[in-house]
Structure formats: C-alpha cells, structure tokens
Amino acid sequence: MSAATTRSRTPDRLCAEAVDLARSAAEEAAAPGVVGEHVSAVSEGDRVVTHLFECKEIGYRGWRWAVTVARASRSKLVTLDETVLLPGPDSLQAPEWVPWSDRLRPGDMGPGDLLPTEAADLRLEPGYSGEDTPPPNSAVTDAVTPQALAELVEAEDIEVTAETDRDESIPVTERGTIASVAEELGMRRARVLSRYGLHIAADRWDESFGAKTPMAQAAPAPCVSCGFLLPLAGSLRQAFGVCANEFSPADGRVVSLAYGCGGHSEAAIMPTPPRPAPHVLDELGADAFPLGPPAGDGG
C-alpha cells in the first residue's frame, strides 16, 4: 500500500473536527429538528471528509445527512463542499427503476391493453415476403409473351381481335399470384414464429405442464394416449397438444404429450396392479396366550 493511499484513508484532523460546521450545513438544508446524532466521519481523499448525521424525518428511516468538508493545502480554513441526503445500509429504498418492457409479466395484460412487439423481436421472423416477381427465365412470368399468346390462340381457338393484336402481352390474373395463393391458404402473415420463438414457447409449456411436474409423476398414463387431447398443428404437433377435459387442471392449456393427470380418458379401465399372494406362514401375526389359569378354575 502506497503512502498516498494511506493518507487518503486517514481522515484529515481539521476536517474531521469540523462537526459543528457540518451540522450547521445539514440543518440549513433540512427541515428543523430532523438532523440527528453524528454517526461517523469518512475520508474521501486528501483533506476531504464527509460527516454523516442521522435523519429523523418520517419516511426516511435509515437515511443519513452527508456533509462533505474540505480544506486547501497548507490552509487551516475548513470550507463546505456539499450537503446531500443519502441512504444508509439499513434504509428503506425504492426498487431500481426498470423499463416498462422489462417489467411486464405474463398475465399483466387486461382488456383494452396493447402490447406492441419490436421490429427485431427474436421470437418472430418474416413470414409472407410479398415478392411476386419471378426469377429470370422462370416458367412463371408476370405476363404472357407473344409466342405464348400465339400458342394459346391455336390451342383454345381464341378469336384474335385488333385490340389483342395491338397488345404485346396479356397480364396474368390476380388469382394466380403468390400473394393471392398465400391469402387463400391463410398464410399471409407479416411475421411468424422463429425457431427461437418455438423453443422458448416449448420450454415454457413443458415447465408448466410437462413430464417433470408432480401431477404428471402421479398420473396413470401420459396425455399422448388420452382421448381429451387435441393435437397442435405444425412442428409442435409431435410434442404438444391442448387439453379438452373440463375436470383436468390443464383444461384449455397447451400440455406436453408426456404430461398426465387423474382425468385420463382411460383411467377407469386401466388394469389395477396385482395384489401379492398371501403368505403361507403368517409371520406377522401374534397369538395371545394366557399367563395364568382361566377364571373359575378350581385348580
């Protein structure tokens, strides 16, 4: 440890003795009667000391008035630096501020609430791209070329009018575009779940209604063989489904196929475990023997 470090940790004598100056500054900044006893003096550096006073104001239990004093080199005059109210080790403080997007938890949304998703949300990825332009030399084009038109006229025996002769191409109908096909199939969504979004959803569902839950450990059979299970669509179909048993604790919830409960559809007809055969020699029972002659015996 260097000599400079030792000096900085040792409170300056003149600054440490300026308790009255520090108290006066604290009383001037605070309301009357809220500055308590002197707690300690902490060295902040060379010829810089902070005096701590108890705070008696209601609502600030454990807080302290911190008054920093200092003096110049080779000077005996101690001057005031700053006065501030600081929390102590046992003070009651408000929790650290967290942005609203990080404070939101599942189940916090109510009727009328809106939760916008970020543009770069890792749980989502672009779905339908909206690009209908086919690649060069593709069999699917945006227009019918004159050669294709001639073949179409010859095959369908279409009467070519002057207007048709004047046009170099006939546009493809809207029904044949990629956008219209995607809309008919219900796939025209701007974004869909990404692989990351699928994984975190599966982990969350498996934690709540998975094979490791106490209910599943005591179940007679897993949900994969239950008649109340409604399978999901897509890639999660192989691992999850929706419970449709109104008496089950997972009714209307996404459950793992390995989950189970006492409401299994086949729980009543499942074979009961066989009982062990009775012992040939009963070694667990006890026979009562009298210790004396029976009552009424004259012998």
Side-chain angles (χ1 to χ4, degrees):
M1 183 180 298
S2 62
T5 304
T6 305
R7 288 197 305 270
S8 62
R9 291 186 177 181
T10 303
D12 182 76
R13 182 179 61 84
L14 296 179
C15 292
E17 293 176 355
V19 178
D20 296 337
L21 175 63
R23 178 179 292 276
S24 301
E27 293 176 349
E28 183 178 354
V34 298
V35 179
E37 299 295 330
H38 183 263
V39 178
S40 62
V42 181
S43 175
E44 304 289 353
D46 292 341
R47 298 177 299 278
V48 180
V49 175
T50 297
H51 293 273
L52 302 176
F53 299 90
E54 293 182 356
C55 180
K56 296 183 178 180
E57 189 169 359
I58 300 177
Y60 287 87
R61 183 187 63 186
W63 287 62
R64 298 172 178 178
W65 285 101
V67 182
T68 303
V69 296
R71 69 179 182 89
S73 178
R74 299 181 181 180
S75 175
K76 296 183 180 181
L77 178 62
V78 179
T79 59
L80 179 65
D81 191 355
E82 63 177 356
T83 304
V84 66
L85 183 62
L86 297 178
D90 300 328
S91 61
L92 182 62
Q93 303 181 56
E96 184 179 356
W97 185 85
V98 180
W100 72 268
S101 58
D102 298 337
R103 294 199 307 264
L104 193 64
R105 293 293 180 267
D108 290 347
M109 291 187 61
D113 294 340
L114 297 179
L115 179 60
T117 56
E118 299 179 1
D121 196 326
L122 297 179
R123 300 171 300 173
L124 300 172
E125 63 183 8
Y128 165 69
S129 62
E131 297 179 357
D132 290 336
T133 304
N137 302 325
S138 174
V140 180
T141 60
D142 290 340
V144 179
T145 61
Q147 181 180 359
L149 178 60
E151 295 176 357
L152 179 63
V153 169
E154 182 180 356
E156 300 292 341
D157 194 15
I158 299 176
E159 180 180 356
V160 180
T161 62
E163 182 179 357
T164 307
D165 293 337
R166 185 172 60 252
D167 293 339
E168 295 182 356
S169 62
I170 299 178
V172 180
T173 60
E174 184 182 357
R175 183 177 179 83
T177 61
I178 299 177
S180 61
V181 174
E183 187 172 3
E184 289 186 12
L185 296 177
M187 299 166 52
R188 194 169 185 178
R189 293 181 291 171
R191 290 187 290 178
V192 296
L193 273 177
S194 63
R195 183 174 297 273
Y196 172 74
L198 290 173
H199 277 292
I200 62 175
D203 293 341
R204 187 172 61 252
W205 296 338
D206 189 72
E207 182 178 357
S208 301
F209 297 97
K212 297 182 180 180
T213 58
M215 181 67 70
Q217 296 290 336
C223 292
V224 67
S225 59
C226 181
F228 294 108
L229 181 73
L230 300 176
L232 294 180
S235 59
L236 294 181
R237 178 188 180 95
Q238 302 177 1
F240 295 96
V242 178
C243 178
N245 187 352
E246 60 180 326
F247 300 106
S248 172
D251 179 37
R253 304 294 188 91
V254 178
V255 297
S256 170
L257 298 184
Y259 180 75
C261 68
H264 195 281
S265 61
E266 313 304 325
I269 60 176
M270 288 183 177
T272 57
R275 295 184 179 181
H279 297 284
V280 178
L281 298 177
D282 187 3
E283 299 178 352
L284 302 178
D287 297 330
F289 293 96
L291 299 180
D297 190 358

